[in-house]
Amino acid sequence: YYLHPAYHYAMELSYDDDLMTAFTRVVERLSRSALDAEDTSLRQMKSFLEGVGSFAEPSAIAGQDRIDSADWWFNFGHSTPILRKITVKILSQTSSFIGCERN
């Protein structure tokens, strides 16, 4: 939920150090190179945290809680292309308890 715009901005999650550490680890694992990870975790994430660039567009702000989070990132994350690609991968994953239920 750290990357979900409705939760992130409403609950001010940018101040949660544990979530930021976990996010950085995920970015490092999903990035193709250390340079991509650095660019994503430092510069591009800062844009999302501060709500600047394409994240400040009126339609982006209005759609934070109305649009599916992966779709929101796809549509409004164009100012942060590497972060957008990683975030869409993360938010497009489905979760299920079927495997646990079978066991």
Side-chain angles (χ1 to χ4, degrees):
Y1 67 97
Y2 188 69
L3 296 169
H4 193 291
Y7 298 130
H8 187 87
Y9 293 120
M11 300 171 70
E12 296 184 359
L13 297 177
S14 57
Y15 300 108
D16 191 326
D17 291 335
D18 292 334
L19 288 175
M20 187 61 184
T21 302
F23 171 75
T24 303
R25 285 190 200 134
V26 169
V27 167
E28 288 172 354
R29 295 177 99 185
L30 293 177
S31 294
R32 286 186 270 161
S33 70
L35 286 174
D36 281 352
E38 177 193 13
D39 185 48
T40 301
S41 62
L42 296 178
R43 186 178 60 80
Q44 292 189 16
M45 190 60 185
K46 184 178 180 184
S47 295
F48 175 62
L49 296 176
E50 294 175 355
V52 298
S54 59
F55 304 116
E57 294 175 6
S59 55
I61 294 168
Q64 288 175 353
D65 56 350
R66 290 189 224 155
I67 301 173
D68 176 65
S69 58
D71 291 337
W72 185 88
W73 270 95
F74 185 78
N75 291 319
F76 302 111
H78 52 83
S79 63
T80 57
I82 298 169
L83 180 61
R84 176 174 75 170
K85 183 177 180 181
I86 291 171
T87 302
V88 169
K89 277 184 192 178
I90 293 169
L91 295 176
S92 296
Q93 294 179 11
T94 57
S95 58
S96 175
F97 61 91
I98 298 299
C100 296
E101 193 175 278
R102 253 186 266 151
N103 288 335

